[in-house]
Amino acid sequence: MEKAVPILSIVVPVYRAGQYLPVCAASIRAQTFDRWECILVDDGSPDESGGLCDKFAAEDPRFTVIHKENGGVSAARNAGLEAARGRYVLFCDADDALAPCAFRLALEAAERRPGDLICWRMTRSEAELPAADFAGPVAETFYTAAQRRVYATTVDGHSSCNKLFEAALLKSAGVRFDPALARAEDYMFVGEYLDALFTARPGAQVCQLEAPLYYWRVNPESVTNRKTRGDRRGKVEWEPEEYRDYARRLTAEYAETRAAMNGWQGMTEADLAPQLRTYLRRFAFAVWAAGQLGEALPANFFSDGPVPELLDLLRRHRFFTPYYLLFRLRLKSLIARCYESEESGRVVLYRRLYTLTYYILFACGGKRWQQA
């Protein structure tokens, strides 16, 4: 007998997840909304994970298993996408878990706001997940097409695991994960989906449910953490011709983004912090790129416009970044070297500057700065 077509397809890439996969699967099985399928993609895992996937499928027909040769998390997610039958697609990592009311709340929001991207908060504390009978109300935050760049850089915006993707839009726009990327594959996937969404529906919005429905486990052996620790390329990978006059173009982009967010008004500190840190780091790249290309920085680069505003906002909220003090002192050479050290993976200099500048700021200000 053919299985009923599900409303929601959950794709779970599985690799060396034997310790946590049962908790993840149990959180899916415990959902109060039950018209789902879960596609477990065993990515050639050398541990007992593949056998566990088969066990879950034998116990509950809503679980299906794909066994494939190891190809990385992006290839595994793509394989799950190809097999998905639901109207919506949700991704979950095998060492994480969902609140039992997650599917219900997300789909209720999708029914209220057809055409929007529904997403929700993530938490590092499993105890913060709401219970199965949680009824709300749930506060909502909205981002327009003009604000998409800001959303993608918020604390939860870059992840693919806290969003309800429309399968039809993924298919029509050809949005897939890029297996060639060593990192930031989630960020690129979400960015491409947002591009497709706002192209198809300019008036659509990102609707973020202000409830922590996804538990993001701190697992030192996760794919993300192992990938980060092992990423030691030794050089900055970039296309020089794409970044000529970058400091001026970035200044214009910042002004547009700031205007779209009403001068950063109304953002929580948790969401504001990555905006400010990311933009200052991008201006550090602009300093580095100008040096590499032999270009002069715009007049008043350090004294007028985005850079001094970013520095003032970072100081006001005490959001720490090692670039803060280097920009305050206008140390162009050290800014460039700090960026190159961080981006290339040869992080000794970056780590030393991080420690040194943090303690200088603490010693001078007498108050602790918030570290990322």
Side-chain angles (χ1 to χ4, degrees):
M1 183 175 179
E2 187 176 348
K3 294 181 180 179
V5 177
I7 300 294
L8 177 62
S9 297
I10 306 96
V11 176
V12 183
V14 179
Y15 185 79
R16 288 184 176 174
Q19 181 179 357
Y20 301 113
L21 184 58
V23 176
C24 176
S27 79
I28 294 171
R29 188 178 292 157
Q31 292 296 310
T32 56
F33 177 88
D34 62 3
R35 286 191 59 186
W36 53 263
E37 67 173 354
C38 180
I39 304 166
L40 301 168
V41 185
D42 170 25
D43 190 34
S45 188
D47 67 354
E48 71 275 20
S49 296
L52 285 172
C53 292
D54 293 333
K55 175 177 178 290
F56 300 145
E59 294 172 347
D60 188 331
R62 293 174 297 179
F63 286 88
T64 59
V65 185
I66 297 173
H67 295 286
K68 60 182 289 295
E69 292 185 2
N70 179 251
V73 66
S74 292
R77 286 172 174 165
N78 288 341
L81 270 177
E82 293 302 320
R85 300 180 300 140
R87 178 181 175 186
Y88 297 101
V89 176
L90 187 156
F91 298 99
C92 181
D93 286 343
D95 49 359
D96 296 339
L98 289 143
C101 57
F103 296 176
R104 173 176 59 83
L105 292 176
L107 290 166
E108 286 175 355
E111 186 175 347
R112 290 195 309 272
R113 303 193 61 83
D116 286 353
L117 171 61
I118 308 300
C119 56
W120 47 91
R121 289 291 188 178
M122 306 170 76
T123 178
R124 289 290 197 176
S125 171
E126 192 171 11
E128 292 184 355
L129 296 177
D133 59 355
F134 177 77
V138 179
E140 298 173 343
T141 301
F142 299 96
Y143 296 86
T144 65
Q147 298 168 334
R148 63 174 297 277
R149 186 182 291 113
V150 172
Y151 172 69
T153 315
T154 59
V155 65
D156 296 327
H158 67 280
S159 176
S160 64
C161 291
N162 64 333
K163 296 172 179 63
L164 199 62
F165 297 103
E166 290 184 35
L169 185 57
L170 288 170
K171 182 177 181 180
S172 64
V175 179
R176 290 295 185 269
F177 291 92
D178 185 351
L181 291 177
R183 58 180 181 172
E185 69 281 350
D186 276 43
Y187 182 84
M188 296 301 295
F189 179 87
V190 171
E192 289 182 16
Y193 185 84
L194 289 173
D195 286 343
L197 175 70
F198 291 125
T199 298
R201 306 167 198 151
Q205 291 183 304
V206 175
C207 173
Q208 178 170 270
L209 305 179
E210 296 295 338
L213 304 180
Y214 187 93
Y215 169 47
W216 182 17
R217 187 187 299 275
V218 182
N219 176 11
E221 293 305 314
S222 70
V223 172
T224 299
N225 286 323
R226 285 187 287 106
K227 180 170 55 183
T228 301
R229 291 199 306 271
D231 185 19
R232 293 293 181 268
R233 292 159 293 159
K235 63 179 182 179
V236 177
E237 297 176 354
W238 71 311
E239 297 294 335
E241 293 307 312
E242 293 183 13
Y243 292 100
R244 292 194 178 278
D245 199 25
Y246 182 66
R248 183 192 58 78
R249 290 188 284 126
L250 183 58
T251 296
E253 178 200 303
Y254 176 87
E256 292 175 3
T257 303
R258 182 185 182 281
M261 296 306 297
N262 191 26
W264 306 116
Q265 295 298 312
M267 294 191 73
T268 66
E269 285 210 341
D271 285 335
L272 179 61
Q275 307 303 319
L276 305 183
R277 291 187 177 116
T278 298
Y279 263 113
L280 193 62
R281 186 178 185 275
R282 291 178 66 189
F283 276 107
F285 169 70
V287 172
W288 179 86
Q292 296 293 308
L293 295 167
E295 295 180 338
L297 292 169
N300 302 322
F301 177 78
F302 289 99
S303 60
D304 188 26
V307 168
E309 178 177 282
L310 285 168
L311 296 177
D312 288 345
L313 287 167
L314 287 163
R315 181 184 60 188
R316 184 185 311 162
H317 294 277
R318 292 194 173 269
F319 297 148
F320 174 75
T321 164
Y323 294 106
Y324 172 83
L325 194 57
L326 305 184
F327 271 93
R328 276 292 186 205
L329 299 176
R330 305 184 183 187
L331 302 174
K332 289 191 293 184
S333 177
L334 207 50
I335 290 168
R337 290 176 60 196
C338 183
Y339 174 83
E340 184 170 28
S341 173
E342 181 189 11
E343 179 64 17
S344 69
R346 294 181 283 110
V347 294
V348 173
L349 176 62
Y350 175 81
R351 288 173 177 167
R352 288 176 177 171
L353 288 170
Y354 187 105
T355 301
L356 177 63
T357 56
Y358 180 79
Y359 283 105
I360 288 174
L361 290 172
F362 179 75
C364 293
K367 293 183 180 179
R368 192 171 298 277
W369 288 57
Q370 300 177 43
Q371 299 182 69

